[in-house]
């Protein structure tokens, strides 16, 4: 049987069983509640979970689209000019309340998060199988995006980094837990956070920093959506004990008064990053130079391990 035919049957069965149920009653949401007690599932994630139940990605045409999210990964080769226009990279000093920064986040692709049992049957590791399953024309822009994602997922991590690529919400949470040295029942030791902004992105305008509060945690795992026909997250952690700082940043649009709450990371150790990373050109620094800060875009996640009490 052709892999796409098999996947369509599996997804159709899940839709028939789960049709009409809100995301809160899905196995993914129930797993989330058990693994991350006290952490509400972000709306962006709940929407993607429901989308994965209601719609098979095989029934939608996959279209290549730019991903600002992927540009924040350590091995990014995004265009510095394109990234500079978004304002996603910034200096830590810019988080001072009262300061302004010009942002322009385009709408990110909003892929469906597949149910765990479906994700386990979907082609992922082999390029030809993925292209065949999703009717992607070899040599097309879409095929190149898939090839690039698979290449980066399979590439070894940089020095001091632990990373993984996951294809379901359950696998993403489990991977982050392992990186943080916790199991699936952390009992509140691990919690999750995400930026709160519209799926349509942020219109270009200056945004005033209202507040920037440090995220109180001992270790952090960042999970970024990467371009693929369905939701695939690349999660990573830097093993250095003081490799980064995290902030929850409240911003207000100077022109339209819109309020957003952004999750931001400042990486203190960039020595192992790709020397051609766009952040270095945008911020006029270099690997191992001044800290590189960036916002987390729509649908991305951070998992935070609570600081251990000191005697």
């Amino acid at each position: 049987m052709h892999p796409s035919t098999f996947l369509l049957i599996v997804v159709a069965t899940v839709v028939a069983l789960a049709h009409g149920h809100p995301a809160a009653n899905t196995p993914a949401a129930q797993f989330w509640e058990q693994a991350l007690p006290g952490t509400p599932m972000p709306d962006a994630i709940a929407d993607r979970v429901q989308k994965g139940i209601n719609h098979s990605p095989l029934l939608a045409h996959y279209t290549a689209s730019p991903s600002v999210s992927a540009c924040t990964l350590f091995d990014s080769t995004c265009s510095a000019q394109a990234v500079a226009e978004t304002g996603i990279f910034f200096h830590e000093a810019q988080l001072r309340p009262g300061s302004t920064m010009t942002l322009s986040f385009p709408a990110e692709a909003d892929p469906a998060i597949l149910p765990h049992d479906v994700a386990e049957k979907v082609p992922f590791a082999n390029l030809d199988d993925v292209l065949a399953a999703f009717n992607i024309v070899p040599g097309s822009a879409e095929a190149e995006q898939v090839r690039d994602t698979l290449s980066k997922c399979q590439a070894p991590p940089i020095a001091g980094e632990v990373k993984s690529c996951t294809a379901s919400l359950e696998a993403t949470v489990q991977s982050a837990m392992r990186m943080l040295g916790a199991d699936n029942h952390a009992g509140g030791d691990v919690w999750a956070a995400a930026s709160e902004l519209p799926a349509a992105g942020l219109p270009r305008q200056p945004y005033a920093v209202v507040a920037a509060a440090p995220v109180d945690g001992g270790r952090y795992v960042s999970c970024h959506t990467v371009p693929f026909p369905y939701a695939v997250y690349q999660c990573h952690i830097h093993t250095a004990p003081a490799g980064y700082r995290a902030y929850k940043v409240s911003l207000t649009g100077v022109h339209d008064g819109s309020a957003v709450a952004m999750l931001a990371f400042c990486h203190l150790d960039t020595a192992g990053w790709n020397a051609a990373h766009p952040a270095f050109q945008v911020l006029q620094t270099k690997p191992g130079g001044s800290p590189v800060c960036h916002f987390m875009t729509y649908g991305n996640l951070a998992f935070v391990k609570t600081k251990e009490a000191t005697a």
Side-chain angles (χ1 to χ4, degrees), residues 90-101 208-214 245-251 262-266 293-295:
F90 56 91
H91 293 288
E92 195 168 14
Q94 292 177 264
L95 293 179
R96 195 173 54 251
S99 65
T100 61
M101 53 180 72
V209 177
V210 178
R245 286 188 282 265
Y247 296 90
K248 195 73 172 183
V249 186
S250 298
L251 301 170
M262 300 295 293
L263 186 65
F265 280 96
C266 292
C293 301
H294 68 82
F295 289 116

Side-chain angles (χ1 to χ4, degrees), residues 2 7 13 17 41 48 58 64 88 104 118 135 139-140 142 170 217 228 238 256 262 265 270 293 297 300-301 305:
H2 191 279
L7 177 58
T13 302
L17 293 173
M41 181 183 288
R48 289 181 174 182
L58 288 168
I88 194 168
S104 177
V118 175
N135 298 311
S140 64
E142 288 75 18
E170 291 91 332
F228 214 68
H238 200 290
D256 64 9
M262 300 295 293
F265 280 96
T270 61
C293 301
T297 58
N300 288 351
L301 283 166
K305 186 171 185 179

Side-chain angles (χ1 to χ4, degrees), residues 67-209:
S67 172
V68 178
S69 170
C71 294
T72 61
L73 295 170
F74 296 163
D75 57 357
S76 170
T77 55
C78 293
S79 161
Q81 180 179 358
V83 169
E85 294 175 356
T86 69
I88 194 168
F89 293 110
F90 56 91
H91 293 288
E92 195 168 14
Q94 292 177 264
L95 293 179
R96 195 173 54 251
S99 65
T100 61
M101 53 180 72
T102 299
L103 303 177
S104 177
F105 286 6
E108 288 274 336
D110 195 22
I113 294 178
L114 296 181
H116 184 63
D117 58 339
V118 175
E120 289 185 323
K121 300 176 178 68
V122 178
F124 177 71
N126 182 277
L127 175 61
D128 291 338
D129 288 346
V130 175
L131 299 186
F134 292 93
N135 298 311
I136 298 173
V137 178
S140 64
E142 288 75 18
E144 177 58 24
Q145 256 196 354
V146 170
R147 185 205 64 77
D148 185 61
T149 289
L150 291 179
S151 175
K152 288 180 177 176
C153 282
Q154 294 163 3
I158 67 170
E161 179 192 31
V162 177
K163 73 172 189 176
S164 69
C165 285
T166 53
S168 71
L169 186 61
E170 291 91 332
T172 301
V173 173
Q174 289 171 334
S175 179
M177 291 282 196
R178 285 193 296 270
M179 292 182 190
L180 292 170
D183 60 22
N184 295 337
H185 308 284
D189 291 339
V190 175
W191 52 282
S195 291
E196 300 169 14
L197 73 163
L202 297 179
R204 184 176 181 80
Q205 64 175 317
Y207 288 81
V209 177

